[in-house]
Amino acid sequence: FNLLNILGLAALVRPLAADHVRGADLAVMIAFALVLVPMMGIKFVIKRWEGALLLAGYAGYLVYLWPT
């Protein structure tokens, strides 16, 4: 909430540009969101193996971003 609130208020004062966000980055963000929603389920609880899966996905994304 804090991050969204501060960014929202800052964008009201001066519009923020997101020119550095590539299509691949946007696809990864959407994919993680779509994977996370069913994991949360009804009780909003993520199991340990699901957290490990998300962490592995994040590590894979960081490897993808690493300059070669």
Side-chain angles (χ1 to χ4, degrees), residues 32-64:
F32 267 94
L34 290 175
V35 167
L36 186 61
V37 168
M39 280 185 180
M40 295 287 286
I42 296 171
K43 295 182 179 180
F44 297 106
V45 174
I46 296 177
K47 296 177 181 69
R48 188 177 303 254
W49 68 270
E50 293 169 334
L53 184 68
L54 288 171
L55 191 60
Y58 180 63
Y61 178 62
L62 288 179
V63 168
Y64 166 75

Side-chain angles (χ1 to χ4, degrees), residues 5-34:
N5 191 17
I6 297 300
L7 277 177
L9 290 174
L12 285 174
V13 175
R14 182 174 180 209
L16 302 172
D19 299 332
H20 58 279
V21 177
R22 298 177 299 187
D25 298 330
L26 187 59
V28 168
M29 285 187 276
I30 291 171
F32 267 94
L34 290 175

